[in-house]
Amino acid sequence: FSRPADTTGVATMALEVPMARKDLYQVACITGRSLGLLPPSDKKKTMKVLVGSDNGIVTCFRIKKGEVLEEFKTGNLDYPVQKLLVGGPVDKRDKIYFTSAQTIRGVNRKGKECFKFATEGAEALKGLCVDDTRIWTSGEYMFNHYLDCKDAGYYMSKDRINDLLVLPIVNLVDKNPVLGCQDRYLRVLDSNKLFMEAFVDGPILTLAPYMSKSFDDVLRGNKDKEVLYGTDNGLVGQMLITSEVAKPGWTIGNVRGLGGVSAMKSFDLTQNGQADIIVGRDDGELQVFSLDEANQPQQVFTKTVSESIQEVDIGKVCTSSFEEVVIATYSGKVISFTTETAEGHLDQSFPSAIREKVLTEGGPPGPAGAKEEEKKPEEKKMKRGLSSLFGLGKKKDKDKPEKDKFVAGLVLDHDPKADEGKGDKDEAVRSDPQEKQKKAIVFRNEIEVLRQKVAEAKSAFQGISKENVPVSTRSKVKSSMLLEPENACYKLTLESEMPIDIVALQAGIPLQLLDCGTSVPSISEPDPANGNLFIATLRVQGTSNRVQVQVMTEEGVYGTLQAFVVTRVAPKVVHLVETRILPLSLHQPIPLDAPEKGGAVPYCEVRMQGGFGMGQMHSWVQSCFPSVPSKVPDADTVKYNFESCYCATRVSVEFGRGEAVFRSSNLSVLAIIKDVISKEAATTKTKLDVKAPVINEASVLHVLQLLHPKLEKLLKLKERVKFITALTEIKAQSDDVSFLSDDLKTVLKNSEELLEEHKNNEKKIIFIEHVLQQYYIDRFKFRGINVKHRLGEVNALIEKYSWESLVQLFGAS
């Protein structure tokens, strides 16, 4: 089908899809994938929107003549709605299923409960698929299959399950579950047993089927099932699955450093006969990709909504003629992006669109003062549409029913039977030219009354205690700490339902703050006496519910990073978010069969023996490395491979009951593992015998060869930046700079780029200096030599750097 390709730089097609934003509805906070579209009973009508929030309520509404009409709301269940889908017979699809805690509920299109199934599991249900009497669910680690509400099998995943998909791959009748897991594996099950698995370059957050095939695939009889996956580190990829193997297709790289893929769908928005890929990210980026002639994805639309996108769906919501991308955000907003064109705005079928056009352009098109009889038929039709919208120029008609009475926008004494049988085009828009002003006055009065009630309630509430102010809040703060391998740093993201005012960061370990986005940072001096080695305050500019910063960590030190989030509410409320930083925080897991880069690599080895069990050693490995599965694998011997995103050195971990072996070419990594595990064993009073390490002297030179180009690049950039100020003054005095050397001309030409690159250069030099100091200590510590008093030689080497001096200092020649 598609040749495997890594589309790291996705170009944008010349012809983009024009899409306009419309804010539709607001509910409580949304943390699950709880958005769906209910097909109409009549094809001429629009689809109803279903959204579930964290208060356990599922809301159904529709858009009619630009107005929101609420259809129904379910009862408050006190548990978040984690998954919502529309099911039922293929020709009807009139049932709504959603999960709340360990219970699956179903309601019909009128909101009446028609199904309830309480599973016996202990995990909250996050994934759900329903097909007739068959139900597939997924929790944190457990997958379950039910037939007629009876247990038909289960599967315990090796790591956390983030998404669930069901496709007919091997079993065409019962279908095959596809799991997207945190340990970067896509797993296909058959009869509740693992059938195959495929490794991808990031923790899988979301899965989606891609059903559209090209004409060539039909001719070739291609039977590959195409599955789209989105990862935590922002990759979007294609996996081609057959009954024999799962093979990767194209991949969209995350060169712009966007957020993780939190929602994804495939639908033919561009109307070219092949489905497009709609991607929603946790940083608010909405993207649409279309496949070109070579079956490679090209971006055709992008938009940012400045908060996390929880779910995305496609359908006809505002009008029955145009497809729309509907998204649900973390704060509870339901937003639509419509493909309605400018020509469609002039059609009487879309009065809401006409209203938007009139308000945008300042009035109806056409020359002012033109007589009705002099206008063209199209202009008359347009005027009639605008007049009917605003209630102007209506002809008297004795047969016409009596006009509805209005009071502040409310229709009084209106007979709903009068609307029966009327189509959307024939229904009059019951509004008045002065209604907007009347509504505004009524709303202002209501707001003022509510403000007075709030003030009275505050006064009475604060009277309970004069010293302390009781505060109650149900707002939430979502956080994530993701490793950025290309920058060798972490991206801390904090998102709240309410706008964020201030964020204070504190840690008992040394950290470096690199990029704060739009926030204004204020970094305080370390206070080691009180355990504060890192203190920073971020003031958020403007109104934003989201804060994102880059933090550089040092390996070998570990602790907790605390974030105090102050939202813009009265009285002030602080949310505490804690993130654990591990000793080998810059390492990430890789497949066991991943080939070595650059051929054979010299390894050193540390072997441990003692009275520890499988679970105990597994927890010790978890305390060293990130992204280690919580569940202990069911095997006699467990193996893991990790790679440093900074030094590019690898670590292999192999352990069983009573014995563990760690291999790496980086002596600092082995020293950290030895120290951390020895400390953990001493805490639990477990007998541990660390054997004499096996040292390969060639590994020292290998590590230095990996660090040399990084250090040389940083020092060269520092040296170049020194000349920029002088060169800029020379350029200002005389345009003739021909006497400068080629290198200085290049510096002058690229001065802006060099200054931007140098922004965090000093911090990175300090970081690599610490890396060399630690490696210098560990290199001789395994020989039994203490060289801490000679660290000044490493600092002097940085000042006057050369490769020969580096090799000589470490004795690696």
Side-chain angles (χ1 to χ4, degrees):
F1 180 65
S2 298
R3 64 178 184 275
D6 183 9
T7 316
T8 53
V10 179
T12 303
M13 280 187 170
L15 180 60
E16 294 191 358
V17 177
M19 300 179 75
R21 170 174 171 168
K22 295 181 182 180
D23 290 69
L24 303 181
Y25 204 72
Q26 175 73 56
V27 296
C29 178
I30 300 174
T31 57
R33 290 169 181 158
S34 51
L35 175 71
L37 299 180
L38 186 64
S41 56
D42 186 355
K43 293 183 179 180
K44 295 182 180 180
K45 295 182 179 180
T46 57
M47 305 177 78
K48 298 177 183 179
V49 182
L50 302 157
V51 58
S53 54
D54 277 14
N55 56 11
I57 297 176
V58 174
T59 305
C60 176
F61 68 90
R62 63 189 178 100
I63 307 298
K64 188 174 183 180
K65 298 295 182 180
E67 301 295 331
V68 177
L69 301 179
E70 192 175 288
E71 294 289 316
F72 66 83
K73 277 187 178 181
T74 62
N76 191 333
L77 301 175
D78 292 328
Y79 293 101
V81 178
Q82 289 294 329
K83 181 66 176 180
L84 183 148
L85 57 88
V86 178
V90 179
D91 55 339
K92 290 185 178 180
R93 293 182 58 80
D94 56 352
K95 300 293 188 296
I96 302 106
Y97 298 97
F98 60 95
T99 65
S100 177
Q102 293 84 22
T103 304
I104 305 170
R105 300 174 187 268
V107 297
N108 58 21
R109 61 172 56 249
K110 294 184 178 180
K112 295 183 179 180
E113 187 171 280
C114 60
F115 178 79
K116 183 178 179 181
F117 174 47
T119 63
E120 298 179 354
E123 299 177 348
L125 302 180
K126 295 183 178 180
L128 175 67
C129 293
V130 179
D131 183 11
D132 197 15
T133 60
R134 289 169 294 181
I135 299 176
W136 299 267
T137 66
S138 64
E140 195 80 7
Y141 295 92
M142 184 70 73
F143 162 81
N144 287 90
H145 178 209
Y146 301 96
L147 183 62
D148 291 326
C149 295
K150 295 181 181 179
D151 193 0
Y154 70 93
Y155 171 78
M156 178 71 79
S157 176
K158 296 179 182 179
D159 204 350
R160 195 165 66 245
I161 302 173
N162 292 327
D163 203 3
L164 167 66
L165 184 66
V166 176
L167 290 174
I169 300 173
V170 181
N171 195 328
L172 303 182
V173 178
D174 293 334
K175 300 183 180 179
N176 298 95
V178 182
L179 308 179
C181 300
Q182 183 67 22
D183 60 355
R184 306 185 176 211
Y185 275 94
L186 184 147
R187 294 183 168 91
V188 181
L189 307 182
D190 184 29
S191 300
N192 305 312
K193 295 181 180 180
L194 182 63
F195 179 71
M196 68 174 71
E197 60 184 9
F199 187 87
V200 301
D201 291 330
I204 301 175
L205 289 185
T206 182
L207 298 171
Y210 186 78
M211 308 305 294
S212 179
K213 290 184 178 292
S214 65
F215 183 70
D216 292 339
D217 294 322
V218 176
L219 292 179
R220 295 171 187 169
N222 195 336
K223 297 182 180 180
D224 292 351
K225 297 295 181 182
E226 299 179 56
V227 175
L228 305 176
Y229 64 86
T231 66
D232 203 352
N233 54 1
L235 301 179
V236 177
Q238 174 198 47
M239 189 68 68
L240 306 174
I241 305 176
T242 66
S243 58
E244 299 177 353
V245 68
K247 52 185 178 181
W250 46 258
T251 303
I252 303 174
N254 190 12
V255 293
R256 292 168 52 197
L258 301 175
V261 179
S262 54
M264 189 162 46
K265 286 288 189 298
S266 63
F267 190 85
D268 188 9
L269 278 176
T270 55
Q271 300 296 318
N272 61 357
Q274 197 166 17
D276 306 309
I277 302 122
I278 298 91
V279 176
R281 299 180 181 270
D282 62 11
D283 61 351
E285 189 84 6
L286 178 65
Q287 298 172 297
V288 178
F289 296 94
S290 184
L291 299 185
D292 59 15
E293 296 178 355
N295 283 324
Q296 296 303 309
Q298 306 293 330
Q299 183 175 288
V300 296
F301 173 79
T302 181
K303 191 71 174 180
T304 302
V305 296
S306 73
E307 59 179 299
S308 177
I309 297 175
Q310 297 299 120
E311 185 59 296
V312 60
D313 210 340
I314 298 92
K316 299 174 181 178
V317 176
C318 294
T319 68
S320 59
S321 302
F322 296 96
E323 303 291 348
E324 301 171 52
V325 178
V326 183
I327 63 173
T329 67
Y330 176 73
S331 67
K333 294 185 180 68
V334 180
I335 304 171
S336 164
F337 290 89
T338 177
T339 57
E340 186 174 0
T341 58
E343 290 78 6
H345 288 180
L346 303 181
D347 195 298
Q348 278 185 306
S349 302
F350 317 115
S352 61
I354 299 176
R355 183 187 296 111
E356 291 174 1
K357 185 173 181 65
V358 172
L359 293 177
T360 303
E361 299 184 358
K371 294 183 180 180
E372 181 69 24
E373 55 272 7
E374 296 175 354
K375 294 180 180 290
K376 296 180 180 180
E378 293 81 0
E379 294 177 350
K380 290 182 181 180
K381 182 178 180 181
M382 187 191 309
K383 182 175 180 180
R384 286 198 300 271
L386 295 172
S387 299
S388 63
L389 173 63
F390 291 99
L392 301 175
K394 294 184 178 179
K395 296 181 180 180
K396 296 182 179 180
D397 192 350
K398 295 180 180 180
D399 298 331
K400 186 174 181 179
E402 184 180 356
K403 181 180 179 182
D404 295 325
K405 298 178 181 180
F406 297 89
V407 176
L410 299 177
V411 182
L412 302 181
D413 301 329
H414 177 69
D415 184 9
K417 294 182 179 180
D419 291 336
E420 294 182 359
K422 292 186 178 181
D424 289 343
K425 294 185 179 181
D426 298 330
E427 181 179 353
V429 180
R430 297 187 296 276
S431 61
D432 190 88
Q434 299 179 354
E435 284 304 306
K436 290 184 179 179
Q437 186 176 358
K438 293 178 181 178
K439 287 180 181 179
I441 295 173
V442 172
F443 289 156
R444 289 193 191 101
N445 293 336
E446 290 179 353
I447 292 172
E448 188 61 32
V449 171
L450 291 174
R451 283 177 177 169
Q452 292 178 1
K453 290 182 178 180
V454 171
E456 293 173 0
K458 278 185 180 179
S459 178
F461 198 50
Q462 293 176 1
I464 300 174
S465 173
K466 296 182 179 180
E467 297 179 356
N468 301 317
V469 178
V471 175
S472 176
T473 177
R474 296 189 65 179
S475 61
K476 298 181 179 179
V477 172
K478 183 175 70 170
S479 66
S480 65
M481 188 84 162
L482 301 178
L483 178 64
E484 290 188 331
E486 60 277 2
N487 297 320
C489 67
Y490 275 87
K491 181 168 65 175
L492 174 64
T493 304
L494 302 167
E495 186 170 358
S496 172
E497 294 180 71
M498 308 300 293
I500 298 176
D501 188 17
I502 298 173
V503 175
L505 302 175
Q506 181 275 337
I509 58 176
L511 300 174
Q512 292 286 348
L513 200 61
L514 297 182
D515 186 11
C516 302
T518 58
S519 303
V520 179
S522 176
I523 302 176
S524 304
E525 290 294 328
D527 184 13
N530 295 316
N532 297 323
L533 295 180
F534 173 73
I535 303 177
T537 304
L538 307 174
R539 181 168 291 277
V540 181
Q541 298 294 306
T543 303
S544 176
N545 295 36
R546 185 183 180 87
V547 172
Q548 198 170 74
V549 296
Q550 283 184 336
V551 180
M552 180 175 283
T553 64
E554 293 183 15
E555 291 197 325
V557 293
Y558 50 98
T560 302
L561 172 62
Q562 293 183 321
F564 301 87
V565 183
V566 182
T567 55
R568 293 185 181 178
V569 294
K572 293 294 185 182
V573 178
V574 179
H575 296 266
L576 173 60
V577 177
E578 294 184 328
T579 303
R580 187 183 177 194
I581 297 176
L582 298 176
L584 296 171
S585 54
L586 298 181
H587 282 70
Q588 58 183 351
I590 59 174
L592 295 175
D593 56 352
E596 288 282 358
K597 299 176 182 177
V601 174
Y603 276 91
C604 304
E605 179 182 294
V606 171
R607 185 178 297 269
M608 301 178 183
Q609 293 178 346
F612 53 83
M614 290 280 293
Q616 202 167 20
M617 179 53 72
H618 188 266
S619 66
W620 293 345
V621 173
Q622 271 187 310
S623 63
C624 293
F625 295 93
S627 303
V628 177
S630 301
K631 180 178 176 291
V632 181
D634 186 13
D636 295 333
T637 303
V638 179
K639 296 181 180 180
Y640 293 118
N641 275 1
F642 300 92
E643 185 177 62
S644 170
C645 63
Y646 187 77
C647 298
T649 55
R650 293 187 177 182
V651 188
S652 69
V653 180
E654 183 177 353
F655 63 89
R657 182 179 295 275
E659 186 174 17
V661 180
F662 302 88
R663 299 182 181 90
S664 177
S665 58
N666 193 334
L667 291 172
S668 288
V669 173
L670 295 178
I672 293 171
I673 294 173
K674 174 179 173 292
D675 293 343
V676 173
I677 293 182
S678 299
K679 184 178 179 180
E680 293 287 337
T683 302
T684 58
K685 298 181 180 181
T686 303
K687 181 181 178 182
L688 183 69
D689 182 18
V690 181
K691 302 296 182 182
V694 179
I695 307 298
N696 189 336
E697 290 295 333
S699 65
V700 179
L701 183 62
H702 171 70
V703 172
L704 295 180
Q705 288 173 340
L706 294 174
L707 293 175
H708 167 65
K710 295 179 181 293
L711 180 57
E712 190 177 42
K713 180 181 178 182
L714 293 173
L715 295 176
K716 188 175 181 180
L717 177 61
K718 180 181 178 180
E719 191 69 23
R720 284 187 166 190
V721 170
K722 290 180 180 179
F723 297 102
I724 290 180
T725 303
L727 292 174
T728 304
E729 292 180 359
I730 294 174
K731 176 69 175 178
Q733 295 176 3
S734 175
D735 293 335
D736 185 16
V737 291
S738 57
F739 59 91
L740 296 176
S741 65
D742 293 339
D743 189 35
L744 291 178
K745 289 179 182 178
T746 304
V747 171
L748 182 61
K749 181 180 178 181
N750 303 323
S751 58
E752 293 183 2
E753 292 82 356
L754 291 174
L755 289 173
E756 179 65 23
E757 189 178 355
H758 183 69
K759 186 170 59 175
N760 293 314
N761 196 57
E762 291 294 339
K763 297 179 181 178
K764 294 179 179 179
I765 292 176
I766 295 174
F767 177 81
I768 197 172
E769 184 177 345
H770 290 168
V771 171
L772 286 173
Q773 288 176 350
Q774 189 61 47
Y775 190 65
Y776 186 63
I777 293 173
D778 297 330
R779 188 261 186 280
F780 290 99
K781 183 168 68 173
F782 280 107
R783 288 183 174 183
I785 304 173
N786 188 353
V787 294
K788 289 185 178 180
H789 62 283
R790 296 178 55 188
L791 291 181
E793 298 180 23
V794 179
N795 300 336
L797 173 69
I798 300 297
E799 295 295 329
K800 297 181 180 180
Y801 178 74
S802 68
W803 167 249
E804 292 77 11
S805 301
L806 179 67
V807 173
Q808 183 179 359
L809 178 64
F810 279 81
S813 56

